Amino acid sequence: MIVMLGLLLAAPLSEIVHSVRIEHPTGPAHAEYRMRVDVRHQQLGVAAPGSHAATLRCRWRADLVVDRQARHATGTLRRALRQDGVAAGSRPGWCTASRAVIAKDVARATTDMRGAVAALAGRDAELLRAELDQIGTGTR
């Protein structure tokens, strides 16, 4: 039996903000990147009655999401960037009963995300320039 329980924001993580200035012929853009971690829980196994052994397990996976907000003279450009699978694990039992412990597991596994946020921001620079080009030519 497999049931997806959706996404959960892992609260214990400290906020990382990365800021850059992108030069462009239409004027500079000031981009701010804020990280968040989405955690997916997947319930595996079955609860067994009586003297039978239960096989319940909660498998989880954490994805890094970086929300970009770039301020430019023509307006604000927003985008969400994603890096899947920055951490993963599993716990015995029900996912609903293990959420707090899983949140701590995620926090331990994602302690040094500053470099990952900067790398995503670096890869976004060309995309942001392309978006600014479209604004400059009016082809948005």
Side-chain angles (χ1 to χ4, degrees), residues 24-26 77 126-140:
H24 191 267
T26 61
L77 301 167
E126 285 306 310
L127 183 57
L128 179 54
R129 282 188 183 91
E131 290 175 13
L132 291 169
D133 288 344
Q134 288 178 346
I135 290 171
T137 60
T139 59
R140 190 170 188 193

Side-chain angles (χ1 to χ4, degrees), residues 30-43:
H30 301 276
E32 191 170 90
Y33 298 85
R34 291 185 180 275
M35 72 157 267
R36 58 188 163 91
V37 176
D38 284 335
V39 181
R40 291 187 189 156
H41 300 88
Q42 184 179 31
Q43 188 67 59

Side-chain angles (χ1 to χ4, degrees), residues 36 65-69 78-82 124 127:
R36 58 188 163 91
V65 179
V66 176
D67 296 311
R68 180 248 284 159
Q69 180 175 322
R78 290 183 172 85
R79 179 170 301 279
L81 311 163
R82 185 174 203 92
D124 180 58
L127 183 57

Side-chain angles (χ1 to χ4, degrees), residues 52-130:
H52 294 85
T55 60
L56 287 175
R57 199 144 192 88
C58 181
R59 184 169 46 199
W60 59 268
R61 186 180 94 171
D63 301 332
L64 173 64
V65 179
V66 176
D67 296 311
R68 180 248 284 159
Q69 180 175 322
R71 293 176 316 280
H72 184 261
T74 59
T76 302
L77 301 167
R78 290 183 172 85
R79 179 170 301 279
L81 311 163
R82 185 174 203 92
Q83 181 177 337
D84 293 332
V86 294
S90 72
R91 287 270 173 186
W94 292 102
C95 289
T96 53
S98 300
R99 286 186 188 253
V101 175
I102 291 170
K104 290 178 183 178
D105 289 347
V106 170
R108 269 193 301 277
T110 57
T111 55
D112 188 21
M113 298 304 293
R114 191 166 301 283
V117 171
L120 280 173
R123 289 194 298 266
D124 180 58
E126 285 306 310
L127 183 57
L128 179 54
R129 282 188 183 91

